[in-house]
Tab-separated table of all heavy atoms in Angstrom:
chain	number	residue	atom	x	y	z
A	68	PHE	N	-70.486	-28.845	177.978
A	68	PHE	CA	-71.722	-29.090	178.707
A	68	PHE	C	-72.601	-29.991	177.809
A	68	PHE	O	-72.325	-30.100	176.622
A	68	PHE	CB	-72.430	-27.724	178.970
A	68	PHE	CG	-71.784	-26.819	179.922
A	68	PHE	CD1	-71.091	-25.684	179.457
A	68	PHE	CD2	-71.734	-27.179	181.281
A	68	PHE	CE1	-70.517	-24.812	180.356
A	68	PHE	CE2	-71.071	-26.278	182.184
A	68	PHE	CZ	-70.517	-25.151	181.719
A	69	PRO	N	-73.664	-30.530	178.438
A	69	PRO	CA	-74.608	-31.249	177.573
A	69	PRO	C	-75.198	-30.282	176.538
A	69	PRO	O	-75.428	-29.077	176.797
A	69	PRO	CB	-75.771	-31.681	178.509
A	69	PRO	CG	-75.079	-31.744	179.855
A	69	PRO	CD	-74.036	-30.584	179.857
A	70	PRO	N	-75.455	-30.753	175.355
A	70	PRO	CA	-75.915	-29.786	174.235
A	70	PRO	C	-77.325	-29.276	174.628
A	70	PRO	O	-78.119	-29.864	175.359
A	70	PRO	CB	-76.072	-30.712	173.044
A	70	PRO	CG	-76.014	-32.100	173.537
A	70	PRO	CD	-75.306	-32.106	174.820
A	71	TRP	N	-77.574	-28.078	174.058
A	71	TRP	CA	-78.870	-27.456	174.217
A	71	TRP	C	-79.748	-27.958	173.075
A	71	TRP	O	-79.397	-27.714	171.913
A	71	TRP	CB	-78.652	-25.924	174.210
A	71	TRP	CG	-79.893	-25.097	174.326
A	71	TRP	CD1	-81.023	-25.303	175.048
A	71	TRP	CD2	-80.101	-23.832	173.630
A	71	TRP	NE1	-81.887	-24.284	174.936
A	71	TRP	CE2	-81.414	-23.345	174.004
A	71	TRP	CE3	-79.354	-23.045	172.800
A	71	TRP	CZ2	-81.923	-22.161	173.544
A	71	TRP	CZ3	-79.900	-21.890	172.338
A	71	TRP	CH2	-81.145	-21.447	172.727
A	72	ARG	N	-80.916	-28.349	173.386
A	72	ARG	CA	-81.908	-28.877	172.397
A	72	ARG	C	-83.144	-28.064	172.475
A	72	ARG	O	-83.657	-27.797	173.577
A	72	ARG	CB	-82.184	-30.329	172.606
A	72	ARG	CG	-80.976	-31.205	172.268
A	72	ARG	CD	-81.356	-32.713	172.383
A	72	ARG	NE	-80.269	-33.526	172.003
A	72	ARG	CZ	-79.258	-33.942	172.725
A	72	ARG	NH1	-79.185	-33.613	173.932
A	72	ARG	NH2	-78.317	-34.687	172.227
A	73	TYR	N	-83.762	-27.664	171.343
A	73	TYR	CA	-84.963	-27.003	171.350
A	73	TYR	C	-85.655	-27.209	169.943
A	73	TYR	O	-84.960	-27.605	168.980
A	73	TYR	CB	-84.808	-25.504	171.616
A	73	TYR	CG	-84.004	-24.735	170.623
A	73	TYR	CD1	-84.621	-23.985	169.578
A	73	TYR	CD2	-82.618	-24.719	170.614
A	73	TYR	CE1	-83.908	-23.318	168.658
A	73	TYR	CE2	-81.876	-24.008	169.758
A	73	TYR	CZ	-82.495	-23.287	168.765
A	73	TYR	OH	-81.770	-22.573	167.804
A	74	ASP	N	-86.886	-26.931	169.929
A	74	ASP	CA	-87.664	-27.103	168.671
A	74	ASP	C	-87.972	-25.744	168.034
A	74	ASP	O	-88.226	-24.742	168.769
A	74	ASP	CB	-89.048	-27.749	168.909
A	74	ASP	CG	-88.868	-29.239	169.359
A	74	ASP	OD1	-87.925	-29.893	168.807
A	74	ASP	OD2	-89.602	-29.742	170.181
A	75	VAL	N	-87.926	-25.665	166.714
A	75	VAL	CA	-88.306	-24.452	166.012
A	75	VAL	C	-89.581	-24.740	165.203
A	75	VAL	O	-89.635	-25.723	164.491
A	75	VAL	CB	-87.114	-24.047	165.080
A	75	VAL	CG1	-87.537	-22.821	164.211
A	75	VAL	CG2	-85.869	-23.786	165.804
A	76	TYR	N	-90.513	-23.844	165.412
A	76	TYR	CA	-91.838	-24.022	164.802
A	76	TYR	C	-92.007	-23.017	163.614
A	76	TYR	O	-91.453	-21.906	163.745
A	76	TYR	CB	-92.955	-23.828	165.832
A	76	TYR	CG	-92.824	-24.761	166.998
A	76	TYR	CD1	-92.116	-24.390	168.111
A	76	TYR	CD2	-93.364	-26.037	166.950
A	76	TYR	CE1	-91.966	-25.225	169.180
A	76	TYR	CE2	-93.170	-26.960	168.002
A	76	TYR	CZ	-92.501	-26.523	169.149
A	76	TYR	OH	-92.358	-27.398	170.200
A	77	ARG	N	-92.675	-23.409	162.602
A	77	ARG	CA	-92.844	-22.489	161.401
A	77	ARG	C	-94.332	-22.439	161.010
A	77	ARG	O	-95.095	-23.363	161.095
A	77	ARG	CB	-92.099	-23.034	160.243
A	77	ARG	CG	-90.611	-23.118	160.409
A	77	ARG	CD	-89.953	-23.664	159.141
A	77	ARG	NE	-88.550	-23.992	159.398
A	77	ARG	CZ	-87.575	-23.056	159.484
A	77	ARG	NH1	-87.880	-21.752	159.244
A	77	ARG	NH2	-86.320	-23.402	159.719
A	78	ARG	N	-94.704	-21.266	160.645
A	78	ARG	CA	-96.009	-20.956	160.084
A	78	ARG	C	-95.788	-20.075	158.838
A	78	ARG	O	-94.971	-19.236	158.826
A	78	ARG	CB	-96.984	-20.309	161.052
A	78	ARG	CG	-97.292	-21.057	162.247
A	78	ARG	CD	-98.175	-22.242	161.987
A	78	ARG	NE	-98.493	-22.971	163.193
A	78	ARG	CZ	-97.774	-23.817	163.803
A	78	ARG	NH1	-96.580	-24.193	163.371
A	78	ARG	NH2	-98.231	-24.473	164.929
A	79	SER	N	-96.638	-20.205	157.802
A	79	SER	CA	-96.502	-19.356	156.610
A	79	SER	C	-97.903	-18.902	156.226
A	79	SER	O	-98.900	-19.607	156.440
A	79	SER	CB	-95.833	-20.063	155.469
A	79	SER	OG	-96.561	-21.247	155.116
A	80	MET	N	-97.939	-17.775	155.653
A	80	MET	CA	-99.242	-17.125	155.189
A	80	MET	C	-98.926	-16.367	153.875
A	80	MET	O	-97.845	-15.981	153.564
A	80	MET	CB	-99.755	-16.114	156.174
A	80	MET	CG	-100.049	-16.672	157.547
A	80	MET	SD	-100.557	-15.361	158.671
A	80	MET	CE	-102.191	-14.952	158.042
A	81	GLU	N	-99.962	-16.162	153.078
A	81	GLU	CA	-99.931	-15.329	151.875
A	81	GLU	C	-101.066	-14.376	151.938
A	81	GLU	O	-102.210	-14.662	152.241
A	81	GLU	CB	-100.111	-16.182	150.591
A	81	GLU	CG	-98.971	-17.072	150.348
A	81	GLU	CD	-99.168	-17.889	149.083
A	81	GLU	OE1	-100.175	-17.686	148.380
A	81	GLU	OE2	-98.256	-18.702	148.687
A	82	ILE	N	-100.710	-13.112	151.537
A	82	ILE	CA	-101.764	-12.093	151.372
A	82	ILE	C	-101.829	-11.697	149.883
A	82	ILE	O	-100.773	-11.318	149.271
A	82	ILE	CB	-101.353	-10.790	152.241
A	82	ILE	CG1	-101.164	-11.163	153.668
A	82	ILE	CG2	-102.488	-9.735	152.033
A	82	ILE	CD1	-100.517	-10.012	154.475
A	83	HIS	N	-102.983	-11.917	149.298
A	83	HIS	CA	-103.209	-11.664	147.899
A	83	HIS	C	-103.761	-10.216	147.709
A	83	HIS	O	-104.812	-9.976	148.245
A	83	HIS	CB	-104.037	-12.736	147.240
A	83	HIS	CG	-103.352	-14.041	147.200
A	83	HIS	ND1	-102.745	-14.528	146.147
A	83	HIS	CD2	-103.204	-14.958	148.195
A	83	HIS	CE1	-102.256	-15.693	146.402
A	83	HIS	NE2	-102.430	-15.967	147.657
A	84	GLY	N	-103.056	-9.411	146.918
A	84	GLY	CA	-103.538	-7.966	146.676
A	84	GLY	C	-103.451	-7.305	148.048
A	84	GLY	O	-102.576	-7.440	148.818
A	85	ALA	N	-104.401	-6.376	148.249
A	85	ALA	CA	-104.464	-5.578	149.504
A	85	ALA	C	-103.090	-5.057	149.879
A	85	ALA	O	-102.657	-5.256	151.051
A	85	ALA	CB	-105.056	-6.410	150.575
A	86	ASP	N	-102.367	-4.397	148.891
A	86	ASP	CA	-101.055	-3.886	149.182
A	86	ASP	C	-100.916	-3.057	150.389
A	86	ASP	O	-99.953	-3.137	151.167
A	86	ASP	CB	-100.489	-3.129	147.963
A	86	ASP	CG	-100.603	-4.040	146.652
A	86	ASP	OD1	-100.676	-5.253	146.777
A	86	ASP	OD2	-100.613	-3.455	145.573
A	87	ASP	N	-101.899	-2.143	150.620
A	87	ASP	CA	-101.871	-1.221	151.777
A	87	ASP	C	-101.906	-2.000	153.078
A	87	ASP	O	-101.198	-1.732	154.073
A	87	ASP	CB	-102.884	-0.185	151.702
A	87	ASP	CG	-104.297	-0.760	151.542
A	87	ASP	OD1	-104.416	-1.882	150.958
A	87	ASP	OD2	-105.239	-0.121	151.931
A	88	ILE	N	-102.714	-3.051	153.106
A	88	ILE	CA	-102.860	-3.852	154.347
A	88	ILE	C	-101.588	-4.709	154.537
A	88	ILE	O	-101.048	-4.754	155.660
A	88	ILE	CB	-104.072	-4.751	154.228
A	88	ILE	CG1	-105.342	-3.905	154.151
A	88	ILE	CG2	-104.169	-5.747	155.398
A	88	ILE	CD1	-106.638	-4.702	153.866
A	89	ALA	N	-101.028	-5.237	153.393
A	89	ALA	CA	-99.805	-6.035	153.560
A	89	ALA	C	-98.674	-5.160	154.045
A	89	ALA	O	-97.838	-5.610	154.849
A	89	ALA	CB	-99.471	-6.613	152.178
A	90	ARG	N	-98.616	-3.877	153.600
A	90	ARG	CA	-97.516	-2.982	154.064
A	90	ARG	C	-97.664	-2.749	155.567
A	90	ARG	O	-96.673	-2.723	156.286
A	90	ARG	CB	-97.574	-1.654	153.315
A	90	ARG	CG	-96.732	-1.638	152.086
A	90	ARG	CD	-96.584	-0.166	151.587
A	90	ARG	NE	-97.851	0.371	151.119
A	90	ARG	CZ	-98.396	0.153	149.919
A	90	ARG	NH1	-97.784	-0.707	149.127
A	90	ARG	NH2	-99.535	0.770	149.531
A	91	GLY	N	-98.883	-2.644	156.047
A	91	GLY	CA	-99.128	-2.508	157.474
A	91	GLY	C	-98.736	-3.699	158.267
A	91	GLY	O	-98.129	-3.564	159.387
A	92	VAL	N	-98.935	-4.866	157.717
A	92	VAL	CA	-98.506	-6.125	158.344
A	92	VAL	C	-97.011	-6.206	158.516
A	92	VAL	O	-96.457	-6.484	159.541
A	92	VAL	CB	-99.038	-7.306	157.686
A	92	VAL	CG1	-98.395	-8.604	158.171
A	92	VAL	CG2	-100.556	-7.412	157.827
A	93	VAL	N	-96.359	-5.834	157.388
A	93	VAL	CA	-94.868	-5.921	157.449
A	93	VAL	C	-94.236	-4.958	158.371
A	93	VAL	O	-93.249	-5.240	159.006
A	93	VAL	CB	-94.343	-5.675	155.943
A	93	VAL	CG1	-92.814	-5.583	155.967
A	93	VAL	CG2	-94.811	-6.817	155.056
A	94	ALA	N	-94.863	-3.771	158.540
A	94	ALA	CA	-94.326	-2.731	159.437
A	94	ALA	C	-94.669	-3.069	160.887
A	94	ALA	O	-94.176	-2.350	161.771
A	94	ALA	CB	-94.909	-1.417	159.003
A	95	ARG	N	-95.489	-3.919	161.166
A	95	ARG	CA	-95.967	-4.276	162.503
A	95	ARG	C	-94.813	-4.792	163.393
A	95	ARG	O	-93.883	-5.442	162.940
A	95	ARG	CB	-96.997	-5.341	162.368
A	95	ARG	CG	-97.676	-5.737	163.517
A	95	ARG	CD	-98.784	-6.800	163.200
A	95	ARG	NE	-99.575	-7.126	164.323
A	95	ARG	CZ	-100.640	-7.914	164.323
A	95	ARG	NH1	-101.078	-8.404	163.169
A	95	ARG	NH2	-101.273	-8.168	165.348
A	96	ASP	N	-94.894	-4.490	164.688
A	96	ASP	CA	-93.962	-5.021	165.665
A	96	ASP	C	-94.431	-6.365	166.090
A	96	ASP	O	-95.535	-6.517	166.649
A	96	ASP	CB	-93.886	-4.108	166.883
A	96	ASP	CG	-93.107	-2.785	166.608
A	96	ASP	OD1	-92.192	-2.846	165.626
A	96	ASP	OD2	-93.395	-1.830	167.199
A	97	PHE	N	-93.524	-7.435	165.815
A	97	PHE	CA	-93.844	-8.755	166.320
A	97	PHE	C	-93.069	-9.065	167.567
A	97	PHE	O	-92.057	-8.386	167.784
A	97	PHE	CB	-93.477	-9.809	165.169
A	97	PHE	CG	-94.364	-9.670	163.972
A	97	PHE	CD1	-94.055	-9.002	162.927
A	97	PHE	CD2	-95.622	-10.368	164.062
A	97	PHE	CE1	-94.870	-8.910	161.748
A	97	PHE	CE2	-96.475	-10.304	162.929
A	97	PHE	CZ	-96.167	-9.597	161.822
A	98	PRO	N	-93.497	-9.981	168.378
A	98	PRO	CA	-92.717	-10.336	169.587
A	98	PRO	C	-91.273	-10.785	169.200
A	98	PRO	O	-91.017	-11.252	168.183
A	98	PRO	CB	-93.449	-11.563	170.097
A	98	PRO	CG	-94.836	-11.468	169.612
A	98	PRO	CD	-94.710	-10.742	168.228
A	99	ASP	N	-90.381	-10.427	170.136
A	99	ASP	CA	-88.963	-10.699	169.857
A	99	ASP	C	-88.675	-12.170	169.636
A	99	ASP	O	-87.742	-12.491	168.966
A	99	ASP	CB	-88.090	-10.197	171.111
A	99	ASP	CG	-88.050	-8.731	171.209
A	99	ASP	OD1	-88.272	-7.984	170.168
A	99	ASP	OD2	-87.784	-8.222	172.306
A	100	SER	N	-89.545	-13.088	170.126
A	100	SER	CA	-89.262	-14.486	170.011
A	100	SER	C	-89.692	-15.049	168.606
A	100	SER	O	-89.453	-16.192	168.310
A	100	SER	CB	-90.025	-15.247	171.071
A	100	SER	OG	-91.410	-15.073	170.912
A	101	ILE	N	-90.221	-14.189	167.802
A	101	ILE	CA	-90.676	-14.546	166.458
A	101	ILE	C	-89.752	-13.934	165.373
A	101	ILE	O	-89.639	-12.694	165.399
A	101	ILE	CB	-92.109	-14.209	166.159
A	101	ILE	CG1	-93.041	-14.979	167.156
A	101	ILE	CG2	-92.541	-14.574	164.783
A	101	ILE	CD1	-94.505	-14.684	167.030
A	102	HIS	N	-89.279	-14.697	164.470
A	102	HIS	CA	-88.539	-14.268	163.275
A	102	HIS	C	-89.430	-14.199	162.077
A	102	HIS	O	-90.142	-15.166	161.848
A	102	HIS	CB	-87.300	-15.118	163.063
A	102	HIS	CG	-86.564	-14.696	161.740
A	102	HIS	ND1	-85.725	-13.632	161.800
A	102	HIS	CD2	-86.534	-15.248	160.632
A	102	HIS	CE1	-85.189	-13.590	160.514
A	102	HIS	NE2	-85.673	-14.499	159.854
A	103	VAL	N	-89.510	-13.055	161.361
A	103	VAL	CA	-90.444	-12.977	160.245
A	103	VAL	C	-89.675	-12.737	158.961
A	103	VAL	O	-88.753	-11.862	158.991
A	103	VAL	CB	-91.432	-11.756	160.469
A	103	VAL	CG1	-92.416	-11.671	159.321
A	103	VAL	CG2	-92.145	-11.854	161.755
A	104	GLU	N	-89.951	-13.496	157.899
A	104	GLU	CA	-89.336	-13.232	156.567
A	104	GLU	C	-90.484	-12.888	155.726
A	104	GLU	O	-91.554	-13.442	155.700
A	104	GLU	CB	-88.640	-14.493	156.120
A	104	GLU	CG	-87.370	-14.791	156.895
A	104	GLU	CD	-86.638	-15.935	156.318
A	104	GLU	OE1	-86.801	-16.267	155.099
A	104	GLU	OE2	-85.862	-16.585	157.084
A	105	VAL	N	-90.218	-11.875	154.849
A	105	VAL	CA	-91.256	-11.388	153.876
A	105	VAL	C	-90.805	-11.493	152.468
A	105	VAL	O	-89.572	-11.198	152.162
A	105	VAL	CB	-91.564	-9.909	154.206
A	105	VAL	CG1	-92.656	-9.366	153.220
A	105	VAL	CG2	-92.006	-9.771	155.676
A	106	GLU	N	-91.566	-12.014	151.560
A	106	GLU	CA	-91.205	-12.040	150.123
A	106	GLU	C	-92.401	-11.509	149.379
A	106	GLU	O	-93.589	-11.888	149.726
A	106	GLU	CB	-90.936	-13.507	149.756
A	106	GLU	CG	-90.645	-13.739	148.304
A	106	GLU	CD	-90.388	-15.176	147.986
A	106	GLU	OE1	-90.001	-15.981	148.866
A	106	GLU	OE2	-90.733	-15.545	146.829
A	107	VAL	N	-92.168	-10.639	148.395
A	107	VAL	CA	-93.220	-10.074	147.638
A	107	VAL	C	-93.177	-10.535	146.211
A	107	VAL	O	-92.088	-10.287	145.636
A	107	VAL	CB	-93.259	-8.527	147.716
A	107	VAL	CG1	-94.458	-7.962	146.898
A	107	VAL	CG2	-93.446	-8.115	149.200
A	108	ASP	N	-94.163	-11.119	145.609
A	108	ASP	CA	-94.196	-11.598	144.254
A	108	ASP	C	-95.153	-10.816	143.497
A	108	ASP	O	-96.280	-10.489	144.027
A	108	ASP	CB	-94.532	-13.054	144.127
A	108	ASP	CG	-93.431	-14.008	144.627
A	108	ASP	OD1	-92.277	-13.593	144.581
A	108	ASP	OD2	-93.783	-15.170	145.014
A	109	GLN	N	-94.845	-10.445	142.274
A	109	GLN	CA	-95.764	-9.780	141.398
A	109	GLN	C	-96.421	-10.787	140.386
A	109	GLN	O	-95.612	-11.486	139.714
A	109	GLN	CB	-94.999	-8.653	140.629
A	109	GLN	CG	-95.859	-7.778	139.872
A	109	GLN	CD	-94.960	-6.626	139.252
A	109	GLN	OE1	-93.816	-6.623	139.238
A	109	GLN	NE2	-95.668	-5.555	138.724
A	110	LYS	N	-97.681	-10.840	140.406
A	110	LYS	CA	-98.380	-11.829	139.519
A	110	LYS	C	-99.028	-11.114	138.458
A	110	LYS	O	-99.768	-10.072	138.679
A	110	LYS	CB	-99.391	-12.595	140.338
A	110	LYS	CG	-98.828	-13.411	141.497
A	110	LYS	CD	-98.035	-14.532	141.030
A	110	LYS	CE	-97.492	-15.293	142.228
A	110	LYS	NZ	-96.583	-16.334	141.928
A	111	LYS	N	-98.885	-11.607	137.207
A	111	LYS	CA	-99.573	-10.958	136.111
A	111	LYS	C	-100.905	-11.707	135.878
A	111	LYS	O	-101.017	-12.916	136.041
A	111	LYS	CB	-98.741	-11.252	134.825
A	111	LYS	CG	-97.508	-10.473	134.890
A	111	LYS	CD	-96.595	-10.753	133.658
A	111	LYS	CE	-95.226	-10.084	133.847
A	111	LYS	NZ	-94.247	-10.633	132.963
A	112	PRO	N	-101.951	-10.979	135.527
A	112	PRO	CA	-103.242	-11.655	135.260
A	112	PRO	C	-103.209	-12.673	134.104
A	112	PRO	O	-102.410	-12.480	133.176
A	112	PRO	CB	-104.192	-10.479	134.881
A	112	PRO	CG	-103.480	-9.254	135.354
A	112	PRO	CD	-101.985	-9.552	135.339
A	113	LEU	N	-103.927	-13.737	134.230
A	113	LEU	CA	-103.934	-14.703	133.097
A	113	LEU	C	-104.499	-14.140	131.849
A	113	LEU	O	-105.417	-13.304	131.914
A	113	LEU	CB	-104.756	-15.922	133.547
A	113	LEU	CG	-104.200	-16.771	134.711
A	113	LEU	CD1	-105.171	-17.919	135.064
A	113	LEU	CD2	-102.857	-17.386	134.274
A	114	GLY	N	-103.968	-14.510	130.728
A	114	GLY	CA	-104.530	-14.074	129.451
A	114	GLY	C	-103.921	-12.771	128.965
A	114	GLY	O	-104.185	-12.371	127.851
A	115	HIS	N	-103.055	-12.064	129.764
A	115	HIS	CA	-102.421	-10.892	129.321
A	115	HIS	C	-101.124	-11.194	128.598
A	115	HIS	O	-100.323	-11.982	129.094
A	115	HIS	CB	-102.094	-9.991	130.506
A	115	HIS	CG	-103.251	-9.049	130.874
A	115	HIS	ND1	-103.265	-7.777	130.518
A	115	HIS	CD2	-104.358	-9.325	131.562
A	115	HIS	CE1	-104.376	-7.203	130.965
A	115	HIS	NE2	-105.078	-8.174	131.586
A	116	ARG	N	-100.971	-10.602	127.422
A	116	ARG	CA	-99.718	-10.713	126.663
A	116	ARG	C	-98.965	-9.473	126.711
A	116	ARG	O	-99.538	-8.317	126.786
A	116	ARG	CB	-100.047	-11.111	125.210
A	116	ARG	CG	-100.460	-12.503	125.004
A	116	ARG	CD	-100.624	-12.850	123.601
A	116	ARG	NE	-99.723	-12.034	122.709
A	116	ARG	CZ	-99.687	-12.141	121.442
A	116	ARG	NH1	-100.403	-12.981	120.872
A	116	ARG	NH2	-98.844	-11.482	120.703
A	117	ARG	N	-97.745	-9.637	126.817
A	117	ARG	CA	-96.872	-8.431	126.772
A	117	ARG	C	-96.151	-8.447	125.366
A	117	ARG	O	-95.431	-9.411	125.089
A	117	ARG	CB	-95.882	-8.591	127.907
A	117	ARG	CG	-95.357	-7.292	128.352
A	117	ARG	CD	-94.533	-7.419	129.561
A	117	ARG	NE	-94.507	-6.192	130.255
A	117	ARG	CZ	-93.963	-5.989	131.436
A	117	ARG	NH1	-93.344	-6.969	131.976
A	117	ARG	NH2	-93.998	-4.787	131.910
Side-chain angles (χ1 to χ4, degrees):
F68 290 110
W71 178 37
R72 291 184 173 85
Y73 64 97
D74 291 325
V75 175
Y76 303 94
R77 298 182 191 280
R78 299 290 185 274
S79 60
M80 298 175 74
E81 292 182 1
I82 303 170
H83 292 259
D86 303 340
D87 54 333
I88 297 171
R90 269 192 295 281
V92 167
V93 172
R95 186 177 184 172
D96 285 332
F97 290 97
D99 289 338
S100 62
I101 297 178
H102 176 76
V103 182
E104 291 186 25
V105 179
E106 180 182 332
V107 179
D108 287 337
Q109 190 174 11
K110 301 290 183 187
K111 297 177 187 163
L113 292 176
H115 271 261
R116 283 186 31 179
R117 205 173 202 176

